[in-house]
Amino acid sequence: SLLELRFCPYLRTDPSADEEVRITQMESGVEAVARAAKQPEFAVDIRLLLCVHSLLPQAVNQATIDLALRRRDLVRGIDVAGPENRVTERVSHFMDCLRRVANAHLPATAHVAETHPRYIHSELFPYLQRIGHGVQIPLHRPDLLTDLSRRRICFELCPSTYLQTGTFADLQPVREAIRRLDDADVPYCFATDNPAFNGRYLQAEHEMALEYDLINFQGLARCQWNAFAHAF
């Protein structure tokens, strides 16, 4: 009944145009996605999140924030996306982006700490409501979990991704990460990473979590409750 659709508006513009023109095209792209997302016959509430991206120039990311803040009628939140190593190289830039949206009370999530503990950025926590992946945090920095619990920052876990990308050879580390999140009372839910790329939808993530004993049925109900409670 609720779907969050995340995309980078700059990457939905004319790639043959120059940067300034593409920035001006972003708003019409967001409007087009918003129109297409209105599907009343399916009774699904589709909400849009705009992505700033670690591979895009600073001016483009700032323009994306400008657009999100200007079109609060269409945009429900911000996501920091892109390769983690580039997020690390530009962490001060993304702190500036997140500080702007936090000051405007627009919620944000960020893709951090998926593949390696060096991509844990606790300096971003004050500006986040959710963390994309973050699975390395409970495994390598459990000392941070108390603060994450206090802030009620929800983890978005994608078990199939960690096997597809080779982050883990099996799901035992994910099982241990979930156990530590539970022990520290840190909320988490399951999410799809990129269904168009990997063909994995939410039902498949839930089935995998149950099949490999990452959670039980009571845990599944708790994850679903968390997903709604922490939706943007």
Side-chain angles (χ1 to χ4, degrees):
S1 62
L2 175 61
L3 171 68
E4 288 185 354
L5 182 61
R6 315 182 201 195
F7 65 102
C8 183
Y10 186 82
L11 299 180
R12 300 296 180 266
T13 60
D14 181 1
S16 66
D18 62 30
E19 181 179 296
E20 187 173 339
V21 172
R22 295 183 71 179
I23 287 175
T24 64
Q25 292 175 345
M26 292 196 303
E27 187 162 3
S28 60
V30 171
E31 291 172 343
V33 174
R35 285 194 300 270
K38 292 181 179 179
Q39 301 288 338
E41 64 270 32
F42 297 112
V44 177
D45 180 5
I46 301 178
R47 302 177 180 183
L48 306 188
L49 276 62
L50 301 190
C51 296
V52 293
H53 202 287
S54 63
L55 295 180
L56 289 178
Q58 180 171 331
V60 172
N61 286 332
Q62 293 292 359
T64 301
I65 300 298
D66 292 340
L67 175 57
L69 297 180
R70 185 171 66 251
R71 296 305 306 266
R72 297 285 292 262
D73 58 319
L74 301 179
V75 179
R76 297 296 292 265
I78 287 291
D79 182 26
V80 177
E84 291 181 301
N85 63 318
R86 294 300 302 276
V87 174
T88 297
E89 293 167 4
R90 307 175 65 196
V91 69
S92 61
H93 163 59
F94 290 108
M95 284 185 67
D96 289 340
C97 291
L98 292 171
R99 190 179 295 112
R100 287 187 62 198
V101 299
N103 288 339
H105 305 287
L106 185 67
T109 181
H111 180 148
V112 294
E114 176 189 355
T115 60
H116 197 279
R118 65 174 169 267
Y119 302 134
I120 297 172
H121 296 294
S122 58
E123 62 269 43
L124 300 182
F125 294 172
Y127 310 108
L128 300 175
Q129 284 69 48
R130 302 199 311 244
I131 289 176
H133 305 294
V135 69
Q136 302 292 340
I137 298 172
L139 294 177
H140 297 278
R141 290 295 307 276
D143 56 295
L144 297 175
L145 295 181
T146 299
D147 182 51
L148 290 165
S149 176
R150 180 180 62 82
R151 295 182 184 278
R152 305 313 294 163
I153 295 178
C154 185
F155 282 54
E156 308 159 358
L157 303 177
C158 309
S160 65
T161 292
Y162 312 136
L163 299 181
Q164 292 173 338
T165 60
T167 296
F168 301 124
D170 56 54
L171 290 176
Q172 174 55 35
V174 183
R175 190 179 300 113
E176 177 61 19
I178 287 175
R179 185 190 68 78
R180 296 184 184 189
L181 292 174
D182 282 332
D183 288 347
D185 190 30
V186 176
Y188 60 89
C189 62
F190 293 98
T192 57
D193 207 355
N194 188 341
F197 175 74
N198 60 26
R200 300 287 297 187
Y201 293 87
L202 190 57
Q203 179 180 343
E205 297 296 337
H206 287 159
E207 289 174 349
M208 173 176 280
L210 291 168
E211 181 180 355
Y212 288 89
D213 296 321
L214 305 183
I215 56 172
N216 54 26
F217 282 101
Q218 183 180 10
L220 175 60
R222 185 168 62 252
C223 286
Q224 292 173 328
W225 186 91
N226 286 337
F228 279 96
H230 295 272
F232 291 171

